[in-house]
């Protein structure tokens, strides 16, 4: 009997579930219409790939050696921070982000800045010449960085065997294909298989592997969700392409906090680390203008001061317009309703526009107080003091509620030279010699009396 060599199966594009038949609804993740046929070959005689020889034995947990000094500290402080204090050898790091956001630039820059580790940068998207051009542009050169343009995992592993790099960068996982499976690069089964081979390689040799992943239109990493489960760390590179600032965010990290944040600025010579984000998010002003409020917020684990601008004007048409950039419009409407109902401000017939400068989005509710004060400032056309900032959440009855990690917010405000911070009177904190004036208020009216 002749064995059938190629076989096809249906894969859910959302979670990677395999089925012999087409299904309308995935039984695993309940998504509709996600099954696509892919060719797989079961009996494969392809040689190559990563060969396993080691057999692991059970070890007493108390006898396992472990030391934190093993982490590779890179020259990029923001990257170290996001990874939880450097790279853990043998880990798999997935970097996702919109096209053109700077994923390749970030990792090439990292590869070129390495002083003692041998790095292999595998690109399936650009030619050697193009990569060199980019390297010249970011003005770095390195004796430790090797470039390989290749899309077959078998060939990559062959080169790795000779080169023995300390760190491997794959740009991108969607262009890679393994000969063990017949389906096209970028398909669910290819991504899963290639990642599995790379994991095996990383864990056994202790080599760190960076994978660049494309994201789909919903912002999730293209390919099955399973990819995110397989790797140790998932990073997301985001930002508005019209602005120069980029945020590197941890979504998952087996070796550190998952709420870390790194900030970069994209300029002519590649990405520049921004070690003090508050400075760039607050525009330089010579004189105070109405409608501007400064909020002490926490993004991830990092305190940042952001500037909120609002414009309140009489509505020209029947329906007043409300629009917010970088802030939830629904929450802004709620805050406007609180001002109207609880504090007696007539904002119902006014257009309200709100903008958080720098093109970043803030979800922290502690910026409520700054939002409200900036709206009132524009309404009254009275500028707020430029050296005052705010941290407080607004409740539905107009009360100012306590926010978390108030000490870090105060410290950051103090560090940046602010002279006064207005917070909730319910916030408890240890007064450990702050020089900044801390004003505690319980209601919006109290803040209003204080400011205007
Ligand atoms: P890239 O790293 O190719 O994005 P990705 O790999 O995420 O698709 O980034 C390309 C963008 O970055 C491109 O729009 C140009 C810009 N850029 C600069 O502004 N300055 C630079 O020095 C470099 C290298 C790129
Ligand atoms: Mg790229």
């Amino acid at each position: 009997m002749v064995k059938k060599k190629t076989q096809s199966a249906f894969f859910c594009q959302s979670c990677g579930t395999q089925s012999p038949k087409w299904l309308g609804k995935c039984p695993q993740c309940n998504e509709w219409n996600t099954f696509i046929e892919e060719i797989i070959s079961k009996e494969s005689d392809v040689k190559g790939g990563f060969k396993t020889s080691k057999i692991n034995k059970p070890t007493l947990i108390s006898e396992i050696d472990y030391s934190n000094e093993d982490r590779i500290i890179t020259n990029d402080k923001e990257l170290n921070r996001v990874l939880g204090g450097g790279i853990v050898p043998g880990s798999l790091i997935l970097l996702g982000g919109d096209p053109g956001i700077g994923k390749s630039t970030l990792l090439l820059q990292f590869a070129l800045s390495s002083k003692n580790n041998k790095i292999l940068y595998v690109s399936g998207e650009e030619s050697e010449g193009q990569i060199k051009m980019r390297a010249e542009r970011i003005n770095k050169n390195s004796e430790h960085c090797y470039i390989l343009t290749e899309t077959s995992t078998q060939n990559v592993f062959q080169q790795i065997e000779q080169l023995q790099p300390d760190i491997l960068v794959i740009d991108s996982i969607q262009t890679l294909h393994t000969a063990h499976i017949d389906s096209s690069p970028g398909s669910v089964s290819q991504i899963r298989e290639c990642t599995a081979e790379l994991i095996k390689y990383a864990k056994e040799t202790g080599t760190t592997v960076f994978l660049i992943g494309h994201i789909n239109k919903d912002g999730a990493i293209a390919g099955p969700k399973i990819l995110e489960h397989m790797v140790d760390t998932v990073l997301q590179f985001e930002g508005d392409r019209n602005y120069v600032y980029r945020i590197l965010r941890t979504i998952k990290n087996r070796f550190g906090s998952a709420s870390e944040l790194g900030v970069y600025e994209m300029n002519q010579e590649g990405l520049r680390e921004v070690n003090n984000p508050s400075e760039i998010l607050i525009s330089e002003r010579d004189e105070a203008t109405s409608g501007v409020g400064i909020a002490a917020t926490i993004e991830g684990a990092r305190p940042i001061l952001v500037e909120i601008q609002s414009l309140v004007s009489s509505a020209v048409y029947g329906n007043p317009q409300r629009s917010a950039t970088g802030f939830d419009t629904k929450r802004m409407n709620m805050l406007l309703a609180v001002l109207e109902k609880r504090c007696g401000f007539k904002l119902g017939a006014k257009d309200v526009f709100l903008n958080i400068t720098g093109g970043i989005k803030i979800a922290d509710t502690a910026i409520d107080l700054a939002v409200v004060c900036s709206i009132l400032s524009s309404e009254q056309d009275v500028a707020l003091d430029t050296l005052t900032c705010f941290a407080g959440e607004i409740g539905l009855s107009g009360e100012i509620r306590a926010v978390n990690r108030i000490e870090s917010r105060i410290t950051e405000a103090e560090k940046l030279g602010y002279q006064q911070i207005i917070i909730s009177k319910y916030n408890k904190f240890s007064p450990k010699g702050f020089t900044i004036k801390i004003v505690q208020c319980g209601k919006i009216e109290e803040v209003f009396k204080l400011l205007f």
Side-chain angles (χ1 to χ4, degrees), residues 17-317:
T17 302
Q18 186 178 349
S19 156
K21 281 189 314 211
W22 187 83
L23 297 172
K25 184 184 180 191
C26 174
Q28 203 69 41
C29 66
N30 293 330
E31 288 287 325
W32 286 92
N33 210 8
T34 53
F35 276 87
I36 285 184
E37 184 173 18
E38 290 177 10
I39 301 160
I40 47 170
S41 66
K42 280 252 168 83
E43 318 289 326
S44 159
D45 49 4
V46 183
K47 295 278 171 336
F50 188 71
K51 292 172 220 78
T52 336
S53 52
K54 210 169 94 186
I55 296 167
N56 291 332
K57 294 211 172 62
T59 319
L60 259 177
I61 189 155
S62 54
E63 287 167 9
I64 297 173
D65 282 342
Y66 154 81
S67 62
N68 217 355
E69 287 95 73
D70 283 351
R71 285 192 187 237
I72 302 167
I73 309 294
T74 71
N75 290 330
D76 185 339
K77 283 204 199 86
E78 299 293 301
L79 190 63
N80 288 339
R81 171 203 291 276
V82 168
L83 293 173
I87 299 170
V88 175
S91 64
L92 234 87
I93 299 157
L94 177 64
L95 172 68
D98 281 327
I101 202 80
K103 302 181 292 297
S104 310
T105 309
L106 178 71
L107 289 186
L108 183 66
Q109 210 167 316
F110 154 72
L112 291 173
S113 69
S114 167
K115 292 272 183 300
N116 352 324
N117 294 298
K118 206 193 278 179
I119 302 190
L120 177 61
Y121 185 98
V122 180
S123 179
E125 303 200 331
E126 283 149 293
S127 68
E128 282 168 13
Q130 284 168 326
I131 296 171
K132 177 76 184 168
M133 220 158 71
R134 190 190 296 246
E136 307 248 282
R137 189 167 169 193
I138 54 189
N139 221 349
K140 285 210 172 93
N141 227 327
S142 166
E143 294 298 305
H144 303 282
C145 179
Y146 294 80
I147 304 290
L148 172 67
T149 47
E150 184 57 75
T151 54
S152 148
T153 43
Q154 278 73 32
N155 295 353
V156 171
F157 282 124
Q158 244 174 35
Q159 299 305 324
I160 285 175
E161 237 166 79
Q162 291 174 9
L163 193 68
Q164 304 277 341
D166 300 309
I167 293 171
L168 176 69
V169 179
I170 304 279
D171 185 4
S172 65
I173 185 72
Q174 276 85 5
T175 56
L176 218 56
H177 68 89
T178 169
H180 293 296
I181 286 182
D182 277 344
S183 61
S184 55
S187 65
V188 171
S189 42
Q190 280 288 0
I191 292 178
R192 194 165 58 182
E193 190 63 27
C194 292
T195 312
E197 281 179 29
L198 287 166
I199 288 183
K200 212 156 72 184
Y201 159 71
K203 298 293 166 202
E204 261 174 47
T205 57
T207 313
T208 300
V209 180
F210 279 91
L211 299 175
I212 291 181
H214 296 167
I215 65 173
N216 57 26
K217 62 179 190 302
D218 310 322
I221 288 168
K225 197 82 190 159
I226 209 170
L227 186 60
E228 288 175 47
H229 287 294
M230 287 162 95
V231 300
D232 298 306
T233 303
V234 181
L235 305 179
Q236 176 108 358
F237 207 30
E238 54 189 45
D240 195 320
R241 249 190 298 169
N242 302 323
Y243 289 94
V244 289
Y245 301 112
R246 304 278 186 270
I247 290 173
L248 186 64
R249 211 183 274 280
T250 336
I251 293 182
K252 160 185 174 181
N253 194 355
R254 285 189 184 147
F255 315 113
S257 153
S259 54
E260 278 297 353
L261 189 90
V263 183
Y264 292 89
E265 182 188 331
M266 178 67 96
N267 54 30
Q268 291 303 311
E269 284 94 43
L271 291 158
R272 185 183 71 86
E273 297 164 38
V274 178
N275 295 326
N276 190 356
S278 303
E279 274 172 14
I280 56 159
L281 292 174
I282 294 173
S283 51
E284 278 149 30
R285 287 175 287 158
D286 289 335
E287 56 199 76
T289 32
S290 68
V292 176
I294 308 292
T297 169
I298 298 227
E299 262 302 284
R302 196 165 179 179
I304 297 180
L305 265 72
V306 294
E307 178 178 317
I308 292 154
Q309 300 181 332
S310 18
L311 186 65
V312 178
S313 67
S314 300
V316 188
Y317 304 108

Side-chain angles (χ1 to χ4, degrees), residues 331 334-335 337-339 341-342 394-399 401:
R331 190 151 186 100
M334 186 209 93
L335 294 175
V338 170
L339 284 179
K341 175 95 182 168
R342 303 283 177 199
I394 307 282
L396 286 182
S397 57
E399 84 277 21
R401 308 179 55 179

